[in-house]
Amino acid sequence: MLAYAFDEHPLFRLAFPKAASRSMILQTLFTTVLKDAIRFGRVEVACSHKIVGMLIWYPPACYPMSKSRILRLLPHYARLVAVSPVGLMKLFRAQTTLNGFRPKEPHCHGYFLGGRQGERVGTVLAKCLLNEADDKGWPIYLETQERRSANLYARLGFKMLQDGIETLPGGPLTWTMWRAPRVSTQPF
């Protein structure tokens, strides 16, 4: 589902320009991401007779990945390197740049949110994260290369941290955003 949702994503198109191989690479990449997120993060799924949307996020102190987690996933990453070493290096470079902008204070990390075209599940899935983060008093940080996604997150209470930074020369712009936890006003 995520490989399908992100197939036309600007950063992935830049890293893996050939459509035929991009689909296979993204399936391997998202399988690897899910293996880690199921164990150390959270995976929210929207269904309508089939999976129509998915959100991967990490609670505070669970992202970025530790060296031991990266080593555990090394066989999966090795497959990606074998298929597209240049593309993987582009993703690594973009991520390294973004790591320099990530806030130092503990926070949830919104990693991937994707859905099938027309299903309109992004807000529903995002609210799963927002509700849990608010309940636990956690701020949320995320990055997006889609301006329309930045607009969605702004409507959900996120504030812009970096307004369209370039993480790769000639690459898509990235918006970084932050949302402080909301205090519940409901009586106990």
Side-chain angles (χ1 to χ4, degrees):
M1 204 307 305
L2 287 173
Y4 168 82
F6 282 92
D7 189 63
E8 291 297 316
H9 190 271
L11 185 59
F12 292 130
R13 287 186 71 195
L14 177 68
F16 314 111
K18 295 179 183 171
S21 60
R22 182 172 56 246
S23 176
M24 188 270 305
I25 290 167
L26 291 180
Q27 287 178 26
T28 303
L29 175 67
F30 283 113
T31 298
T32 305
V33 167
L34 281 167
K35 284 179 185 293
D36 183 71
I38 287 168
R39 189 166 176 189
F40 297 100
R42 303 284 197 288
V43 179
E44 311 289 345
V45 179
C47 296
S48 173
H49 304 295
K50 61 182 176 186
I51 295 176
V52 294
M54 192 174 289
L55 166 66
I56 297 173
W57 64 278
Y58 287 91
C62 292
Y63 191 87
M65 293 169 52
S66 66
K67 289 177 184 164
S68 64
R69 282 169 49 201
I70 293 169
L71 287 173
R72 184 177 65 80
L73 296 169
L74 206 52
H76 303 285
Y77 290 126
R79 281 194 287 276
L80 291 168
V81 169
V83 174
S84 182
V86 173
L88 203 58
M89 285 307 299
K90 287 179 181 179
L91 291 183
F92 178 76
R93 183 174 178 184
Q95 191 59 55
T96 301
T97 300
L98 287 171
N99 286 345
F101 291 104
R102 184 174 293 111
K104 303 297 182 222
E105 74 179 89
H107 60 271
C108 293
H109 181 80
Y111 200 32
F112 287 104
L113 172 61
R116 294 205 180 274
Q117 194 74 1
E119 294 290 340
R120 307 183 67 71
V121 296
T123 301
V124 172
L125 288 169
K127 286 184 178 180
C128 293
L129 166 56
L130 300 179
N131 291 338
E132 185 166 347
D134 288 347
D135 288 347
K136 295 183 177 173
W138 295 336
I140 306 165
Y141 169 79
L142 58 82
E143 303 144 352
T144 183
Q145 285 87 34
E146 301 275 351
R147 180 48 136 166
R148 64 186 173 94
S149 295
N151 293 335
L152 164 70
Y153 298 132
R155 288 192 303 274
L156 294 172
F158 284 83
K159 304 294 181 212
M160 191 71 63
L161 295 179
Q162 301 295 320
D163 191 1
I165 56 172
E166 190 176 81
T167 60
L168 288 171
L173 298 178
T174 299
W175 291 267
T176 66
M177 304 184 81
W178 180 266
R179 183 180 180 275
R182 302 289 157 84
V183 180
S184 174
T185 58
Q186 300 203 5
F188 293 96

